[in-house]
Amino acid sequence: MFLLRKPILALSGSTAVRDAVSKAPVTRSVVDRFIPGDTTADVVKAVVALRAKGLQVTLDHLGEDTTDRVRADATVMAYLELIEALKAAGQVSGAEVS
């Protein structure tokens, strides 16, 4: 897997590849199952639905290939926004960010 890490990360940064994978009929159901949407509101809506079923959730802001300060700061801000939105929706308990 180590040999594929760099090419996979390079492809994951491509908007064209992301759009093709997320919209292709063969992969759409997998994307929908694990990625609730592009916005914080989409994520909170999914958390509310899953918690209503008694499930606990863990949330990841994708971007493990962050190598510069600007992207790292943007990731921190995304997590803080998410935590505040979960708090406002009363969904902090049973939701974990990683």
Side-chain angles (χ1 to χ4, degrees), residues 61-79:
H61 179 79
L62 300 179
E64 64 273 4
D65 64 331
T66 298
T67 58
D68 62 75
R69 178 67 184 242
V70 172
R71 288 184 70 186
D73 288 344
T75 298
V76 170
M77 293 307 298
Y79 273 113

Side-chain angles (χ1 to χ4, degrees), residues 17-38:
V17 171
R18 183 181 65 233
D19 288 347
V21 170
S22 65
K23 294 176 182 164
V26 70
T27 55
R28 185 74 220 163
S29 64
V30 174
V31 171
D32 288 344
R33 182 171 179 208
F34 294 103
I35 302 174
D38 293 325

